Amino acid sequence: MSTKGKRFLSVPVLAVFSLMCFVYYSSIFVFLHDWLNLQSSPGTLNAYLFSLFAFLSLFSFFSCVLTDPGHVPSSYAPDVEFSKDNEAPKKCDKCFVYKPPRTHHCRVCRRCILKMDHHCLWINNCVGYWNYKAFFVFVLYATMSSIYATVIFISCVFLKDWDPIKGSSLKIFYVFYGTMVVGLTITLLTLFGWHVYLVLHNMTTIEYHEGNRAKWLAMKSGQSYRHPFNIGAYRNITSILGPNMLKWLCPTAVSHLKEGVSFPTLRDNS
């Protein structure tokens, strides 16, 4: 099995896949069927729509797991102009290679990752330059699927006739599933909102925390700080999702990405 394939042999990755399958099966064959009947036109339409969102979520998830986040090219050498105008080139004290801007060393992957956002346990991979778009789109589709599943569940609960139902096992299952799917929806909405904020500011999670420290230090010295890679909301979005809006929601449409060793900055616009 290839190195990429081995990423699936992880308990968290298998847990995410199992959860997606469980939510899909329960939403379609339990709650949607109970609510609208899969044999009816509205039931069939909703089943197709939910299946579409589920497929897009799964495809994006696989893209996150299988796509290499980006490593420092062996031919990389620090840009003299960048070093002179900004700061001295940084060398990784673990990899012993020069680090391009926005590159960080991942202790789990044991290598430097281009434009590293974070190491994600749930995809058994780093989220970096080459797979950040896939990660963002995955969170979007997963959030939409989770909201859809919640709507189906709530609609089923309100229309279900509970009087003839005896015993508590079915009610326990409904309470368990409802708690899980609502909690999942809230978690995904929060995560998606967070990454929308990061995309709009062209910032990674690591840079956000570094920026907070930089702001604090700047305030102490009576100066102001602004994230250097924030070049305007629209340009920030297109630098991550691509210039073609029709391809924004395709996790594998990354032809707009370059080498990931240099990025436009505020200084380039001034």
Side-chain angles (χ1 to χ4, degrees):
M1 183 180 290
S2 66
T3 304
K4 292 183 178 180
K6 289 180 180 177
R7 291 179 187 154
F8 286 102
L9 302 179
S10 161
V11 173
V13 171
L14 293 175
V16 171
F17 180 71
S18 300
L19 178 62
M20 293 172 73
C21 292
F22 173 67
V23 171
Y24 176 78
Y25 179 87
S26 300
S27 297
I28 296 290
F29 299 104
V30 178
F31 303 112
L32 183 60
H33 180 65
D34 203 17
W35 173 33
L36 295 174
N37 191 337
L38 292 177
Q39 305 302 321
S40 67
S41 296
T44 302
L45 176 61
N46 277 275
Y48 277 126
L49 285 175
F50 189 79
S51 297
L52 175 62
F53 284 125
F55 169 77
L56 292 171
S57 298
L58 189 62
F59 179 70
S60 301
F61 176 67
F62 284 167
S63 297
C64 290
V65 175
L66 294 173
T67 304
D68 188 277
H71 62 276
V72 180
S74 57
S75 59
Y76 173 75
D79 188 345
V80 176
E81 184 179 351
F82 176 83
S83 302
K84 180 174 62 177
D85 292 344
N86 293 271
E87 55 184 17
K90 295 179 180 179
K91 200 168 188 178
C92 180
D93 56 2
K94 297 179 180 66
C95 297
F96 305 106
V97 297
Y98 283 108
K99 295 197 296 184
R102 315 184 80 177
T103 297
H104 295 273
H105 186 88
C106 176
R107 289 176 293 180
V108 181
C109 297
R110 298 180 181 179
R111 62 189 176 104
C112 284
I113 304 296
L114 297 177
K115 197 188 174 189
M116 179 178 173
D117 186 88
H118 68 287
H119 184 90
C120 183
L121 177 72
W122 303 108
I123 64 172
N124 195 22
N125 197 6
C126 262
V127 177
Y129 184 69
W130 284 101
N131 67 345
Y132 182 79
K133 178 182 178 179
F135 177 80
F136 180 81
V137 172
F138 164 62
V139 174
L140 168 62
Y141 285 136
T143 302
M144 294 172 68
S145 300
S146 188
I147 292 173
Y148 204 160
T150 302
V151 171
I152 291 173
F153 170 75
I154 292 174
S155 301
C156 174
V157 168
F158 277 109
L159 293 178
K160 190 172 184 65
D161 183 9
W162 294 95
D163 292 334
I165 298 176
K166 296 180 180 180
S168 59
S169 57
L170 182 62
K171 293 180 181 178
I172 290 174
F173 171 73
Y174 268 70
V175 171
F176 165 76
Y177 182 87
T179 303
M180 181 204 70
V181 77
V182 170
L184 181 64
T185 300
I186 293 172
T187 301
L188 288 171
L189 274 170
T190 303
L191 181 63
F192 179 64
W194 167 244
H195 281 280
V196 166
Y197 171 84
L198 293 179
V199 168
L200 290 174
H201 292 82
N202 199 1
M203 192 183 295
T204 65
T205 300
I206 293 175
E207 289 168 350
Y208 171 79
H209 294 293
E210 290 179 340
N212 282 341
R213 175 171 172 76
K215 285 179 183 178
W216 178 73
L217 292 173
M219 286 178 63
K220 284 185 67 176
S221 59
Q223 298 176 333
S224 61
Y225 171 82
R226 186 178 175 186
H227 182 55
F229 301 104
N230 185 354
I231 52 177
Y234 181 74
R235 289 186 65 193
N236 291 340
I237 293 171
T238 55
S239 68
I240 295 169
L241 302 183
N244 188 343
M245 293 181 65
L246 297 177
K247 297 181 179 180
W248 278 8
L249 300 184
C250 178
T252 55
V254 292
S255 59
H256 61 285
L257 298 180
K258 299 178 182 177
E259 292 185 346
V261 296
S262 63
F263 303 88
T265 65
L266 282 168
R267 179 170 297 194
D268 298 332
N269 296 334
S270 58

